[in-house]
Short mmCIF file of all heavy atoms in Angstrom, two decimals:
data_model
loop_
_atom_site.label_atom_id
_atom_site.label_comp_id
_atom_site.label_asym_id
_atom_site.label_seq_id
_atom_site.Cartn_x
_atom_site.Cartn_y
_atom_site.Cartn_z
N LEU Y 69 186.83 105.13 75.52
CA LEU Y 69 186.40 104.09 76.34
C LEU Y 69 185.38 104.59 77.38
O LEU Y 69 185.30 105.68 77.91
CB LEU Y 69 187.69 103.60 77.04
CG LEU Y 69 188.96 103.04 76.31
CD1 LEU Y 69 190.01 102.68 77.06
CD2 LEU Y 69 188.39 101.86 75.46
N SER Y 70 184.56 103.54 77.78
CA SER Y 70 183.49 103.83 78.86
C SER Y 70 184.01 103.21 80.06
O SER Y 70 183.70 103.59 81.26
CB SER Y 70 182.17 103.41 78.48
OG SER Y 70 182.15 102.00 78.16
N ARG Y 71 184.90 102.15 79.86
CA ARG Y 71 185.57 101.52 81.13
C ARG Y 71 187.07 101.51 80.87
O ARG Y 71 187.32 101.33 79.81
CB ARG Y 71 184.93 100.05 81.38
CG ARG Y 71 183.48 100.05 81.68
CD ARG Y 71 182.96 98.60 81.75
NE ARG Y 71 183.78 97.89 82.76
CZ ARG Y 71 184.03 96.56 82.63
NH1 ARG Y 71 183.65 95.84 81.52
NH2 ARG Y 71 184.68 95.96 83.57
N PHE Y 72 187.78 101.71 81.96
CA PHE Y 72 189.23 101.89 81.84
C PHE Y 72 190.09 100.64 82.32
O PHE Y 72 189.58 100.07 83.34
CB PHE Y 72 189.65 103.10 82.50
CG PHE Y 72 188.98 104.46 82.13
CD1 PHE Y 72 188.24 105.01 83.06
CD2 PHE Y 72 189.02 104.63 80.81
CE1 PHE Y 72 187.54 106.21 82.53
CE2 PHE Y 72 188.37 105.90 80.36
CZ PHE Y 72 187.61 106.66 81.25
N PRO Y 73 191.08 100.32 81.66
CA PRO Y 73 191.95 99.18 82.17
C PRO Y 73 192.57 99.53 83.39
O PRO Y 73 192.86 100.72 83.68
CB PRO Y 73 192.85 98.93 80.99
CG PRO Y 73 192.89 100.17 80.30
CD PRO Y 73 191.52 100.93 80.33
N ASN Y 74 193.04 98.61 84.19
CA ASN Y 74 193.73 98.79 85.31
C ASN Y 74 195.13 99.40 85.08
O ASN Y 74 195.58 100.08 85.96
CB ASN Y 74 193.89 97.40 86.25
CG ASN Y 74 192.47 97.17 86.73
OD1 ASN Y 74 191.69 98.00 87.18
ND2 ASN Y 74 192.19 95.74 86.92
N ASP Y 75 195.72 98.70 84.03
CA ASP Y 75 197.08 99.33 83.76
C ASP Y 75 197.12 100.63 83.06
O ASP Y 75 196.11 100.98 82.35
CB ASP Y 75 197.78 98.28 82.81
CG ASP Y 75 197.93 96.91 83.46
OD1 ASP Y 75 198.13 96.93 84.64
OD2 ASP Y 75 198.10 95.84 82.75
N VAL Y 76 198.18 101.38 83.14
CA VAL Y 76 198.46 102.57 82.52
C VAL Y 76 198.71 102.18 81.00
O VAL Y 76 199.62 101.52 80.82
CB VAL Y 76 199.56 103.49 83.04
CG1 VAL Y 76 199.67 104.75 82.30
CG2 VAL Y 76 199.31 103.74 84.49
N VAL Y 77 197.72 102.80 80.14
CA VAL Y 77 198.04 102.45 78.71
C VAL Y 77 198.47 103.71 77.83
O VAL Y 77 198.91 103.48 76.67
CB VAL Y 77 196.91 101.68 78.04
CG1 VAL Y 77 196.46 100.39 78.73
CG2 VAL Y 77 195.60 102.67 78.09
N ALA Y 78 198.51 104.77 78.51
CA ALA Y 78 198.96 106.00 77.72
C ALA Y 78 199.35 107.16 78.63
O ALA Y 78 198.90 107.30 79.64
CB ALA Y 78 197.79 106.47 76.87
N CYS Y 79 200.46 107.80 78.13
CA CYS Y 79 200.90 109.05 78.69
C CYS Y 79 201.06 110.12 77.67
O CYS Y 79 201.34 109.88 76.49
CB CYS Y 79 202.31 108.76 79.43
SG CYS Y 79 202.06 107.83 80.96
N GLN Y 80 200.98 111.35 78.09
CA GLN Y 80 201.26 112.48 77.29
C GLN Y 80 202.67 113.21 77.85
O GLN Y 80 202.84 113.17 78.99
CB GLN Y 80 200.21 113.47 77.34
CG GLN Y 80 198.86 113.12 76.91
CD GLN Y 80 198.69 112.67 75.38
OE1 GLN Y 80 198.35 111.50 75.16
NE2 GLN Y 80 198.86 113.59 74.61
N ALA Y 81 203.41 113.76 76.75
CA ALA Y 81 204.56 114.34 77.18
C ALA Y 81 204.40 115.74 76.37
O ALA Y 81 204.25 115.79 75.16
CB ALA Y 81 205.89 113.64 76.69
N ILE Y 82 204.41 116.79 77.16
CA ILE Y 82 204.35 118.18 76.72
C ILE Y 82 205.76 118.80 76.71
O ILE Y 82 206.40 118.75 77.55
CB ILE Y 82 203.55 119.09 77.50
CG1 ILE Y 82 202.05 118.60 77.68
CG2 ILE Y 82 203.57 120.56 77.00
CD1 ILE Y 82 201.24 119.39 78.72
N TYR Y 83 206.33 119.17 75.45
CA TYR Y 83 207.47 119.76 75.22
C TYR Y 83 207.26 121.28 75.26
O TYR Y 83 206.66 121.71 74.11
CB TYR Y 83 208.15 119.24 74.00
CG TYR Y 83 208.51 117.77 73.96
CD1 TYR Y 83 207.43 116.88 73.72
CD2 TYR Y 83 209.86 117.26 74.20
CE1 TYR Y 83 207.75 115.46 73.78
CE2 TYR Y 83 210.17 115.89 74.03
CZ TYR Y 83 208.98 115.05 73.95
OH TYR Y 83 209.30 113.72 73.89
N CYS Y 84 207.49 122.08 76.13
CA CYS Y 84 207.29 123.50 76.24
C CYS Y 84 208.26 124.25 75.23
O CYS Y 84 209.58 124.22 75.47
CB CYS Y 84 207.45 124.04 77.60
SG CYS Y 84 206.30 123.30 78.80
N LEU Y 85 207.67 124.91 74.21
CA LEU Y 85 208.42 125.74 73.44
C LEU Y 85 208.56 127.17 73.96
O LEU Y 85 209.37 128.01 73.54
CB LEU Y 85 207.94 125.70 71.97
CG LEU Y 85 208.05 124.25 71.36
CD1 LEU Y 85 207.59 124.50 69.85
CD2 LEU Y 85 209.30 123.76 71.44
N ASP Y 86 207.45 127.45 74.67
CA ASP Y 86 207.31 128.79 75.29
C ASP Y 86 207.07 128.66 76.59
O ASP Y 86 206.85 127.61 77.22
CB ASP Y 86 206.02 129.55 74.70
CG ASP Y 86 205.94 129.73 73.21
OD1 ASP Y 86 207.04 130.27 72.76
OD2 ASP Y 86 204.96 129.35 72.56
N SER Y 87 207.16 129.71 77.63
CA SER Y 87 206.82 129.61 78.89
C SER Y 87 205.29 129.28 78.98
O SER Y 87 204.47 129.90 78.17
CB SER Y 87 207.04 130.97 79.51
OG SER Y 87 208.39 131.05 79.70
N TRP Y 88 204.94 128.51 79.93
CA TRP Y 88 203.44 128.11 80.10
C TRP Y 88 202.99 128.67 81.43
O TRP Y 88 203.68 128.56 82.48
CB TRP Y 88 203.34 126.66 80.06
CG TRP Y 88 203.33 126.12 78.66
CD1 TRP Y 88 204.19 126.48 77.73
CD2 TRP Y 88 202.51 125.01 78.12
NE1 TRP Y 88 204.00 125.58 76.61
CE2 TRP Y 88 202.92 124.70 76.83
CE3 TRP Y 88 201.52 124.16 78.84
CZ2 TRP Y 88 202.28 123.80 76.08
CZ3 TRP Y 88 200.87 123.29 77.94
CH2 TRP Y 88 201.40 123.01 76.64
N SER Y 89 201.96 129.52 81.48
CA SER Y 89 201.37 130.20 82.64
C SER Y 89 199.92 130.24 82.50
O SER Y 89 199.35 129.87 81.49
CB SER Y 89 202.04 131.49 82.83
OG SER Y 89 201.44 132.31 81.68
N GLN Y 90 199.33 130.57 83.54
CA GLN Y 90 197.93 130.75 83.69
C GLN Y 90 197.42 131.77 82.57
O GLN Y 90 196.38 131.59 81.98
CB GLN Y 90 197.40 131.13 84.98
CG GLN Y 90 195.89 131.34 85.06
CD GLN Y 90 195.39 131.29 86.47
OE1 GLN Y 90 195.95 131.05 87.52
NE2 GLN Y 90 194.03 131.76 86.56
N ALA Y 91 198.18 132.93 82.51
CA ALA Y 91 197.88 133.96 81.51
C ALA Y 91 197.85 133.51 80.08
O ALA Y 91 196.95 133.91 79.42
CB ALA Y 91 198.83 135.16 81.78
N ASN Y 92 198.75 132.66 79.63
CA ASN Y 92 198.91 132.33 78.28
C ASN Y 92 198.17 130.98 77.87
O ASN Y 92 198.43 130.47 76.96
CB ASN Y 92 200.19 132.37 77.80
CG ASN Y 92 201.16 131.28 78.26
OD1 ASN Y 92 200.74 130.48 78.98
ND2 ASN Y 92 202.34 131.34 77.77
N GLY Y 93 197.39 130.41 78.85
CA GLY Y 93 196.71 129.26 78.45
C GLY Y 93 197.28 127.93 78.82
O GLY Y 93 197.01 126.88 78.23
N GLY Y 94 198.18 128.06 79.86
CA GLY Y 94 198.76 126.82 80.29
C GLY Y 94 197.74 125.71 80.64
O GLY Y 94 196.72 126.12 81.09
N THR Y 95 198.10 124.41 80.46
CA THR Y 95 197.11 123.39 80.67
C THR Y 95 196.64 123.33 82.14
O THR Y 95 197.42 123.62 83.03
CB THR Y 95 197.74 122.04 80.34
OG1 THR Y 95 198.30 122.11 79.00
CG2 THR Y 95 196.81 120.85 80.64
N GLN Y 96 195.28 123.29 82.28
CA GLN Y 96 194.70 123.19 83.60
C GLN Y 96 194.33 121.67 83.97
O GLN Y 96 193.79 121.10 82.98
CB GLN Y 96 193.44 124.11 83.69
CG GLN Y 96 193.80 125.65 83.46
CD GLN Y 96 192.60 126.45 83.28
OE1 GLN Y 96 191.44 125.88 82.97
NE2 GLN Y 96 192.62 127.67 83.43
N VAL Y 97 194.69 121.28 85.14
CA VAL Y 97 194.31 120.02 85.42
C VAL Y 97 193.66 119.75 86.91
O VAL Y 97 193.62 120.76 87.67
CB VAL Y 97 195.66 119.17 85.64
CG1 VAL Y 97 196.46 119.14 84.30
CG2 VAL Y 97 196.63 119.50 86.75
N GLU Y 98 193.08 118.71 87.00
CA GLU Y 98 192.50 118.28 88.31
C GLU Y 98 193.52 117.30 88.96
O GLU Y 98 193.58 116.07 88.35
CB GLU Y 98 191.10 117.76 88.21
CG GLU Y 98 190.51 117.29 89.49
CD GLU Y 98 189.08 116.65 89.38
OE1 GLU Y 98 188.64 116.63 88.29
OE2 GLU Y 98 188.62 116.17 90.54
N LEU Y 99 194.26 117.66 89.85
CA LEU Y 99 195.20 116.71 90.52
C LEU Y 99 194.67 115.40 90.86
O LEU Y 99 193.63 115.31 91.40
CB LEU Y 99 195.95 117.51 91.61
CG LEU Y 99 196.89 118.73 91.29
CD1 LEU Y 99 197.37 119.31 92.58
CD2 LEU Y 99 197.86 118.38 90.27
#
Side-chain angles (χ1 to χ4, degrees):
L69 303 173
S70 57
R71 294 179 55 217
F72 304 118
N74 290 325
D75 295 333
V76 179
V77 299
C79 288
Q80 302 293 120
I82 299 170
Y83 299 74
C84 298
L85 299 186
D86 300 311
S87 291
W88 285 40
S89 67
Q90 183 166 346
N92 72 1
T95 300
Q96 300 172 337
V97 303
E98 179 182 355
L99 294 177

